[in-house]
Amino acid sequence: MRQQWISLGGLIATVFILSGCAGFGVDSAYRQPDFEHQSTRLTGITWTGVNGSSRVTLSNPNAYRLPITEFAAQLWLDGEPWIDLGTPTLNGLAARSSTTLEFDWTVTAAGLLQRARDAYAAGEANLELKLQPTLSVPVLGPRQLDWSHDFTVPVPKSPQVTLADWRVENIGFTSLTLALDLVVTNPNRFDLATGPFDVGIEADGRSLSRLSLSGMDIGAGVTQRQTTEVSLGFGGLGISLLEALRSGEWPASLGMNWSGNMRSPDLGLDLPALTGSVSQ
């Protein structure tokens, strides 16, 4: 009987030892997958926001497939979640292989104004791409991965056109010629290359005259000035123009608007055509 108890005790001890070794072996056989940031680029830009894409490689160093049960992808702003990104169509990682994932995102100026006015005012936003896939590891169960990458995007702002000065160059019986000094300001953190600007003068919804500004290359935060001439007939505006000549103030009855095409050479992107009012 004593011998039987010794044999039974030895069997139990052997089972515990083997279980411990098996547990150690399974746990050490799992190696955490690796992330590698490949690129982040702008794919489009408008006057209300920017579109972009980030490419990330996820590598599985293990000799077995790792199923993915969940995949959270977000853009963070100021240390907090901001935008949920589309979940990649990926249900698992093949053994000893790499998969490249692409995440498309959009940052709107309105969203920044609501959440981070300082970023909008600065003309750029610092963002963080955070990925959190949950893997189903054989024997060990679920394991969540946490990875992040920081990057900066510009915040597009409309150029400003201002009437800085004006003067009479010539005056006749029915019309006069004005010289207009127009200032174009680029408030962005990126350069702008403009085509010719079309400038119109109107009154009560009627177009009185149109003129053009030459194309410009305007650096970030830079102001450029152009002088152009326009002829206006007195017509029903005679009183307004005469009062303007006396006071030196641009007639309140005359509105000015502008339109033009632009691109950003340093971003390598075209921007949509834009229209606006000339400030006075």
Side-chain angles (χ1 to χ4, degrees):
M1 180 66 70
R2 176 180 174 79
Q3 186 176 357
Q4 290 178 349
W5 277 109
I6 292 175
S7 298
L8 181 59
L11 178 61
I12 294 174
T14 302
V15 170
F16 273 106
I17 291 172
L18 290 176
S19 298
C21 290
F24 175 79
V26 170
D27 189 63
S28 62
Y30 169 68
R31 295 169 59 194
Q32 182 169 289
D34 301 317
F35 288 92
E36 183 179 354
H37 175 256
Q38 297 294 329
S39 64
T40 292
R41 62 188 180 90
L42 297 183
T43 57
I45 185 168
T46 68
W47 297 113
T48 58
V50 295
N51 301 321
S53 179
S54 297
R55 291 170 62 90
V56 179
T57 297
L58 180 55
S59 301
N60 176 16
N62 298 285
Y64 47 87
R65 182 178 181 275
L66 290 173
I68 296 179
T69 57
E70 295 181 47
F71 203 130
Q74 296 176 317
L75 278 186
W76 283 41
L77 175 66
D78 292 340
E80 295 182 1
W82 186 35
I83 301 173
D84 290 323
L85 304 179
T87 303
T89 56
L90 182 68
N91 57 17
L93 301 175
R96 291 176 179 163
S97 67
S98 298
T99 302
T100 299
L101 308 173
E102 189 157 350
F103 299 90
D104 297 324
W105 42 265
T106 298
V107 175
T108 63
L112 284 173
L113 279 172
Q114 293 172 0
R115 174 77 175 266
R117 289 182 176 272
D118 290 344
Y120 180 83
E124 61 183 15
N126 298 315
L127 303 176
E128 184 179 11
L129 173 64
K130 290 184 71 73
L131 305 180
Q132 293 179 315
T134 300
L135 310 177
S136 179
V137 182
V139 180
L140 297 180
R143 292 289 188 274
Q144 186 180 71
L145 305 180
D146 291 285
W147 178 86
S148 63
H149 174 74
D150 298 329
F151 61 96
T152 301
V153 297
V155 180
K157 298 180 181 180
S158 171
Q160 301 160 357
V161 182
T162 304
L163 177 62
D165 196 11
W166 64 279
R167 55 199 170 276
V168 177
E169 292 293 317
N170 186 36
I171 188 168
F173 291 106
T174 59
S175 65
L176 52 76
T177 300
L178 301 177
L180 306 178
D181 295 333
L182 294 168
V183 171
V184 182
T185 302
N186 175 16
N188 295 285
R189 298 293 291 267
F190 51 85
D191 297 349
L192 288 178
T194 78
F197 268 36
D198 182 59
V199 180
I201 300 177
E202 59 184 23
D204 299 325
R206 295 182 298 113
S207 177
L208 301 180
S209 183
R210 305 205 72 80
L211 52 138
S212 181
L213 298 181
S214 302
M216 293 167 278
D217 292 321
I218 313 176
V222 171
T223 294
Q224 286 199 18
R225 185 177 182 128
Q226 280 198 36
T227 299
T228 186
E229 292 187 353
V230 61
S231 294
L232 290 174
F234 287 112
L237 299 173
I239 296 177
S240 297
L241 288 174
L242 289 176
E243 290 179 351
L245 290 176
R246 295 191 189 99
S247 65
E249 299 289 336
W250 182 259
S253 59
L254 296 184
M256 299 182 69
N257 58 72
W258 64 273
S259 61
N261 295 312
M262 278 160 271
R263 74 181 313 271
S264 173
D266 48 350
L267 297 180
L269 295 170
D270 294 327
L271 290 101
L274 187 64
T275 61
S277 299
V278 177
S279 302
Q280 300 169 17

